[in-house]
């Protein structure tokens, strides 16, 4: 969500939320048995959000990433150990193994050459082998502005595509990137299905792709499962992919049930309508801990620390939030530690910035903003906002200090957090006006097309040392002309930040990157394009009979390792 990018913009951040409604196909299959039969062949998984598109390169949302983790194999990803791994390729490219090489571009500037070799046994569900032509199509479509792919900067920087044989692909980049081997959203797309659609109407390809108009077409999927049914807004059915040549998955069928109301999701688990709740998009910490106390050993619980950053995106390029003093007053008026302790059993780490405390590039000298209502009041007075007769501050024109607050409707913990923030802001003379929306509306239109004016609460999930180009670079502000690509929803624009984001990926020496990272963190800490709340732990809830699930805590979901899952 955004998807943080390096200079040639490899998306590595995914929003934990969704864009539009699920598209229709056949009805869902029946739910799994839940009585502990070791011969079971169906697993039913509950999750709290749906996805608006099934296209791998459009709208990087965790809901979609989790579902597609069963049905596709990207070139690379990040494992449970937070290390890069090959998934659709046979060897991860590095400088040491020669698959990454420094070179000059034709105009004499520093560049790179990166080579990936596809797995020999990788096939689409219709039996066709996955080849370099599928990557060539992804590259060509990604380079076209009108396509609106995520990670457009990555594709534009890759100025030349080479393929000496059907399994080998080399991209030549006009920039250097320390994370060059990570392919991000550059992954095979079935050219025999998608290319004709794209060539017929590039501008409207996003709404015509077979991933959304013919989702159950086997030729779209190259993972251990393929999607066989989609029910709008309610879920997905996946069945074993007959052409998958890797380790055989344990379950013949996997049902994904989308229950956007988290209380209802918990109820379905207790009623046996779902077997497990995914940690990527499931219950909150306080719901999971309460359930663990009540369920008395019925389920297995795993609280996995993750690269999940809860925050409030602020609309900083217009309106009252364009005043830095007001943004700083907003964070000073929130007692985040009290919220974490009272609502989340103290299990969340209050955030100073988006950078996780365990990230190798964290600047530990930056402490989280304190709770300081006195300083908040002074900043608001300085900005010209005086207390009114009802306690809400007003400016010289009599306008009320009102900030819109939004999050995903039906997500009880987030709705509660907003209500608590609303109360804390009111104590500071700030009126928080809550207007929550269904996730498919909030992420499909309100955020992606920047139709908000105040603050939006949601989360990004990213990868280690994630360069946040797509959320902070001025070129990543979504516009209609860019077909709404980019995830700089706040509209943050700072030339120094742009320069940092351009320079950071090009520094190959980790120790020399450290001061650049430190300056980036200091700027976001000061400028507050988003209010950092906390780094979230993910509560995974599994049946006692399920083994082998490995939470990652990063943007490569646990579903990518489904072939390790087993019935005890």
């Amino acid at each position: 969500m955004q998807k943080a990018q390096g200079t040639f913009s490899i998306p590595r951040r995914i929003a934990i939320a969704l864009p539009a409604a699920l598209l229709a196909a056949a009805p869902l299959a029946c739910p799994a048995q839940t009585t502990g039969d070791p011969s079971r062949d169906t697993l039913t998984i509950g999750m709290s959000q749906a996805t608006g598109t099934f296209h791998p390169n459009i709208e990087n949302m965790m809901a979609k990433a989790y579902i597609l983790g069963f049905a596709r194999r990207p070139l690379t990803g990040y494992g449970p150990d937070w290390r890069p791994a090959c998934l659709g390729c046979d060897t991860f490219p590095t400088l040491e193994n020669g698959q990454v090489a420094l070179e000059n571009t034709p105009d004499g500037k520093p560049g790179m050459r990166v080579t990936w070799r596809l797995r020999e046994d990788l096939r689409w569900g219709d039996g066709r082998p996955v080849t370099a032509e599928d990557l060539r199509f992804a590259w060509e479509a990604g380079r076209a502005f009108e396509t609106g792919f995520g990670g457009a900067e990555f594709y534009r920087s890759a100025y030349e595509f080479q393929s000496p044989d059907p399994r080998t692909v080399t991209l030549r980049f006009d920039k250097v990137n320390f994370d060059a081997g990570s392919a991000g959203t550059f992954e095979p797309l079935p050219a025999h299905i998608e290319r004709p659609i794209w060539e017929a109407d590039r501008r409207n390809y996003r709404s015509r792709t077979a991933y959304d108009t013919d989702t159950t077409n086997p030729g779209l999927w190259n993972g251990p499962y393929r999607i066989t049914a989609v029910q709008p807004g309610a879920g997905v059915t996946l069945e074993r992919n007959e052409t998958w040549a890797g380790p055989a998955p344990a379950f013949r069928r996997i049902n994904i049930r989308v229950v956007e109301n988290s209380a209802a999701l918990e109820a379905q688990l207790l009623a046996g309508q779902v077997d497990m709740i995914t940690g990527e998009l499931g219950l909150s910490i306080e719901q999971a801990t309460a359930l663990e106390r009540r369920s008395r050993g019925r389920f297995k619980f795993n609280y996995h620390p993750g690269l999940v950053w809860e925050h409030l995106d602020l609309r900083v390029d217009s309106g009252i939030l364009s005043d830095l003093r007001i943004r700083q007053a907003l964070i000073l008026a929130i007692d985040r530690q009290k919220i974490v302790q009272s609502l989340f059993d103290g299990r969340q780490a209050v955030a100073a910035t988006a950078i996780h405390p365990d990230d190798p590039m964290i600047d530990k000298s930056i402490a989280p903003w304190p709770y300081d209502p006195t300083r908040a009041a002074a900043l608001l007075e300085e900005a010209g906002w005086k207390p009114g007769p009802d306690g809400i501050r007003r400016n010289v024109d009599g306008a009320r200090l009102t900030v819109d607050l939004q999050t995903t409707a039906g997500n009880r913990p987030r709705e509660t957090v907003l209500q608590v923030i609303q109360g804390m802001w009111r104590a500071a003379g700030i009126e928080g006006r809550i207007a929550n929306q269904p996730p498919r509306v909030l992420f499909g239109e309100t955020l992606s097309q920047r139709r908000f004016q105040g603050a939006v609460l949601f989360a990004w999930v990213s990868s280690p040392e994630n360069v946040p180009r797509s959320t902070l670079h001025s070129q990543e502000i979504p516009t209609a002309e860019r077909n709404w690509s980019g995830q700089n929803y706040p509209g943050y624009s700072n030339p120094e930040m742009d320069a940092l984001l351009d320079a950071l990926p090009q520094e190959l020496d980790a120790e020399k990157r450290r001061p650049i990272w430190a300056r980036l963190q200091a700027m976001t800490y000061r400028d507050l394009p988003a209010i950092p709340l906390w780094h979230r732990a993910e509560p995974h809830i599994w049946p006692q009979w399920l083994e082998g699930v490995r939470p990652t805590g990063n943007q490569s979901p646990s579903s990518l390792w489904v072939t390790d899952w087993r019935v005890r």
Side-chain angles (χ1 to χ4, degrees):
M1 208 138 117
Q2 182 231 335
K3 48 244 173 207
Q5 306 164 346
T7 291
F8 52 88
S9 219
I10 299 178
R12 292 194 293 141
R13 180 171 291 174
I14 299 179
I16 302 185
L18 85 191
L22 286 167
L23 296 162
L28 284 172
C30 295
Q33 309 171 56
T34 56
T35 54
D37 179 0
S39 66
R40 73 178 68 247
D41 66 355
T42 300
L43 176 69
T44 300
I45 303 171
M47 61 188 291
S48 61
Q49 291 172 0
T51 184
T53 176
F54 290 96
H55 195 292
N57 290 10
I58 298 172
E59 299 293 347
N60 287 332
M61 299 292 173
M62 179 50 77
K64 179 185 68 174
Y66 185 80
I67 294 170
L68 298 196
F70 298 108
R72 69 180 178 95
R73 281 297 169 268
L75 280 177
T76 66
Y78 285 81
D81 58 0
W82 289 13
R83 294 181 180 275
C86 256
L87 296 169
C89 55
D90 58 13
T91 305
F92 191 87
T94 65
L95 284 166
E96 290 73 20
N97 65 23
Q99 290 178 226
V100 176
L102 300 175
E103 63 176 18
N104 289 332
T105 64
D107 58 0
K109 296 179 180 178
M112 299 189 89
R113 184 176 68 251
V114 185
T115 298
W116 294 272
R117 188 161 174 80
L118 288 162
R119 281 172 41 180
E120 187 173 8
D121 60 359
L122 204 58
R123 292 183 175 273
W124 299 109
D126 57 9
R128 287 180 178 247
V130 178
T131 71
E133 287 307 304
D134 300 312
L135 285 167
R136 183 187 297 275
F137 166 62
W139 174 72
E140 291 179 4
R143 286 174 59 79
F145 257 116
E146 64 267 32
T147 307
F149 274 7
E153 183 68 18
F154 169 87
Y155 294 102
R156 291 193 298 272
S157 182
Y159 65 90
E160 184 176 309
F161 181 103
Q162 300 172 344
S163 177
D165 62 66
R167 287 181 53 209
T168 304
V169 164
T170 296
L171 291 184
R172 299 181 70 192
F173 293 96
D174 61 8
K175 294 180 177 69
V176 173
N177 191 301
F178 69 83
D179 197 26
S182 296
T185 61
F186 180 53
E187 62 177 274
L189 296 174
H192 62 293
I193 296 173
E194 291 292 289
R195 181 180 284 280
I197 301 171
W198 178 69
E199 290 182 343
D201 188 350
R202 296 185 180 189
R203 181 74 184 180
N204 293 305
Y205 170 70
R206 290 167 62 103
S207 61
R208 297 172 185 238
T209 169
Y211 280 102
D212 293 331
T213 61
D214 190 20
T215 309
T216 60
N217 186 329
L220 299 174
W221 311 113
N222 62 10
Y225 289 89
R226 60 184 180 87
I227 294 176
T228 58
V230 181
Q231 189 170 11
V236 175
T237 296
L238 303 107
E239 298 189 6
R240 285 179 186 148
N241 185 352
E242 297 85 352
T243 65
W244 171 252
F251 300 98
R252 178 176 61 88
R253 175 183 295 124
I254 291 180
N255 294 324
I256 308 291
R257 287 185 175 233
V258 176
V259 185
E260 293 181 354
N261 184 291
S262 50
L265 179 59
E266 177 182 329
Q268 290 202 17
L269 177 72
L270 292 171
Q273 295 173 313
V274 300
D275 296 315
M276 62 177 276
I277 296 178
T278 175
E280 283 87 349
L281 290 164
L283 299 185
S284 66
I285 287 287
E286 81 280 6
Q287 285 178 299
T289 54
L291 176 62
E292 184 175 15
R293 289 190 291 267
R294 297 196 311 271
S295 61
R296 299 177 182 177
R298 183 177 169 188
F299 306 101
K300 293 190 289 188
F301 290 78
N302 180 293
Y303 298 92
H304 191 79
L307 291 163
V308 184
W309 180 54
E310 290 276 358
H311 65 284
L312 286 162
D313 258 14
L314 304 178
R315 182 67 186 263
V316 303
D317 62 342
S318 66
I320 60 174
L321 297 186
S322 61
D323 189 327
L324 177 60
R325 295 168 296 186
I326 294 177
R327 301 201 299 274
Q328 292 178 344
L330 291 180
I331 192 170
L332 289 165
I334 303 174
D335 191 342
R336 293 173 294 163
Q337 189 60 56
K338 183 176 181 179
I339 295 174
V340 165
Q341 196 61 46
S342 59
L343 295 184
F344 303 116
D345 201 30
R347 290 179 181 262
Q348 318 278 40
V350 172
T353 68
I355 310 302
H356 192 276
D358 294 332
D359 191 285
M361 291 299 165
I362 184 72
D363 184 352
K364 295 184 178 180
S365 70
I366 298 178
W369 281 81
Y371 172 56
D372 191 341
T374 301
R375 186 177 167 197
L379 284 168
L380 294 175
E381 292 280 343
E382 181 184 325
W385 295 91
K386 311 292 183 182
D390 58 355
I392 299 301
R393 293 176 178 271
R394 291 168 168 79
N395 63 12
V396 293
D397 298 322
R400 295 165 66 86
L401 180 52
T402 301
V403 178
D404 290 341
L405 279 168
Q406 293 177 283
T407 192
T408 46
N411 186 312
R412 188 173 65 188
R414 281 186 177 159
E415 291 177 332
T416 301
V417 167
L418 277 199
Q419 290 166 4
V420 173
I421 291 174
Q422 181 187 47
M424 291 177 174
W425 280 356
R426 185 171 185 86
I430 305 162
E431 180 180 46
R433 188 167 53 196
I434 295 177
N436 296 330
Q437 296 179 332
R440 54 187 165 273
V441 176
L442 187 68
F443 293 92
E445 300 169 6
T446 303
L447 269 175
S448 64
Q449 298 184 21
R450 306 185 70 231
R451 297 182 182 180
F452 70 102
Q453 293 300 321
V456 182
L457 169 61
F458 67 106
W460 290 124
V461 57
S462 62
S463 296
E465 200 172 348
N466 164 58
V467 180
R469 180 187 174 93
S470 71
T471 54
L472 294 175
H473 201 289
S474 63
Q475 292 180 356
E476 298 295 330
I477 299 173
T479 63
E481 293 72 25
R482 289 172 49 89
N483 208 7
W484 305 111
S485 64
Q487 293 176 315
N488 185 346
Y489 304 139
Y492 179 66
S493 180
N494 186 309
E496 183 184 356
M497 177 62 73
D498 288 352
L500 289 173
L501 292 167
D502 289 339
L504 186 54
Q506 301 184 57
E507 179 51 68
L508 303 184
D509 187 316
E511 288 309 307
K512 292 181 179 179
R513 288 198 298 274
R514 196 170 299 281
I516 307 176
W517 271 112
R519 180 57 184 158
L520 184 150
Q521 291 168 70
M523 289 184 66
T524 57
Y525 180 87
R526 178 199 66 198
D527 294 346
L528 293 172
I531 291 178
L533 294 176
W534 37 79
H535 298 286
R536 202 172 79 197
E538 298 176 340
H540 293 254
I541 306 172
W542 308 316
Q544 291 288 353
W545 47 261
L546 181 64
E547 295 183 337
V549 183
R550 296 186 294 163
T552 67
N554 61 56
Q555 65 118 18
S556 297
S558 57
S559 52
L560 283 167
W561 286 268
V562 66
T563 54
D564 294 335
W565 299 9
R566 290 291 179 266
V567 175
R568 188 175 65 185

